[in-house]
Amino acid sequence: MNTISKIKNTIKQNDFARILIEEHKRKKYTSLAEKVSDREFIEKLYEKRIGRKPDLDSPQTFTEKLQWLKLNYRNPDIPRASDKYEAKKYIAEKGFSDLLIPTLAVYDSADEINLDELPDEFIIKATHGSGWNYICKNKQTFNLKAKKKIMNSWLKQNLYVYGRERNYKEQKPRLIVEPLIDDKPLVDYKFLCFNGECKAVQVNHDYAGVHYVDFYDSEWNLFPDMSSGTAPVSGKPLPKPAAFGKMKNTAENLAKSFIFVRADLYDTDGRIYFGEMTFFPGSGFWHITPEKYDRMFGEWLEIKELIDEENTEKI
């Protein structure tokens, strides 16, 4: 781990520092959302993150097409399916209630949390964002008082301002509590579905204290050199999960209504659980290397008809 990573990890462990940083970030980006258009914001951030200007009029790569969809595509199911609480209702209505992890509680404020009403082990997370969560393995040692301040800072934030994903703009910020489904780090299988068909799988996993993000094709062949720029690549294939075929079929069924979606699933001893649905991974700002994968994924994401319809309406 390099020096910068060590500093970042140290800050993450300091609740007071996290609150200050999050509050500064929130105010900065909320102000930008009032002054800078979505397109201008996306163009500048894309160039900063990826190192080149995006073609938002005739997009070719995966990351460019995700930005086009953010700006132009509206599916009324996307805001609902990207909310961690409402998504459960959506999944149940689609006939997949057996995939759902039970909901123990839902709160509008961290001040409503009563540990006496919760089991010894649980996970609590914000419904309207990514990475905002706490895992509790022993509520007797869980410092709720300190963590309430952090969780209430999450509830002040609107994820829309950070990447201009409009599906988050009108979401109601809440906290949801679920039981832990395993006592060890889970392998997170993220099925990337293009026009309803799984074409690739993102696998997040830990080994020897390091978090890796690897990519496979739909038949579990590793792309050994592909990186999304979010975490190290292991370069070594994991054993194909026994329930892989069932998970892939489930993901494709969940993806039927969407141009693109990443359906996240867990496999615990053959039992499949739903994680979440993500419509713009990394808000579309993944720095994918080598670039050939950004272009290959872009070829899989067919949006020409949508672009033609949009251009026709403008004439």
Side-chain angles (χ1 to χ4, degrees), residues 95-157:
F96 294 97
S97 56
D98 59 311
L99 301 177
L100 298 177
I101 299 171
T103 298
L104 299 176
V106 180
Y107 305 113
D108 293 326
S109 168
D111 298 321
E112 299 173 7
I113 300 172
N114 183 348
L115 288 181
D116 292 337
E117 298 174 350
L118 299 176
D120 286 336
E121 296 184 343
F122 59 85
I123 181 170
I124 185 167
K125 50 193 175 182
T127 60
H128 63 300
S130 176
W132 294 333
N133 57 70
Y134 278 122
I135 292 176
C136 172
K137 291 191 175 182
N138 182 351
K139 70 179 181 181
Q140 302 303 321
T141 59
F142 189 71
N143 189 347
L144 178 61
K145 183 178 179 180
K147 290 175 171 53
K148 277 183 180 180
K149 296 178 180 178
I150 293 287
M151 290 187 280
N152 280 329
S153 75
W154 299 340
L155 296 175
K156 293 180 182 179
Q157 301 189 56

Side-chain angles (χ1 to χ4, degrees), residues 291-308:
E291 189 178 328
K292 66 179 182 180
Y293 292 111
D294 198 3
R295 297 196 172 279
M296 181 173 73
F297 281 30
E299 291 174 1
W300 291 340
L301 185 52
E302 300 173 6
I303 63 170
K304 184 179 182 303
E305 290 185 9
L306 292 176
I307 294 174
D308 290 344

Side-chain angles (χ1 to χ4, degrees), residues 8-25:
K8 287 182 177 179
N9 284 336
T10 300
I11 291 173
K12 286 180 180 179
Q13 299 303 315
N14 186 303
D15 288 341
F16 182 70
R18 285 182 65 186
I19 291 173
L20 290 178
I21 291 170
E22 291 290 342
E23 185 64 11
H24 173 75
K25 180 181 175 182

Side-chain angles (χ1 to χ4, degrees), residues 28-42:
K28 174 185 174 182
Y29 280 87
T30 299
S31 177
L32 279 175
E34 297 171 353
K35 299 174 183 177
V36 180
S37 71
D38 289 353
R39 183 178 177 117
E40 183 182 356
F41 178 91
I42 285 171

Side-chain angles (χ1 to χ4, degrees), residues 2 57 129 225 305:
N2 60 36
D57 296 313
D225 57 341
E305 290 185 9

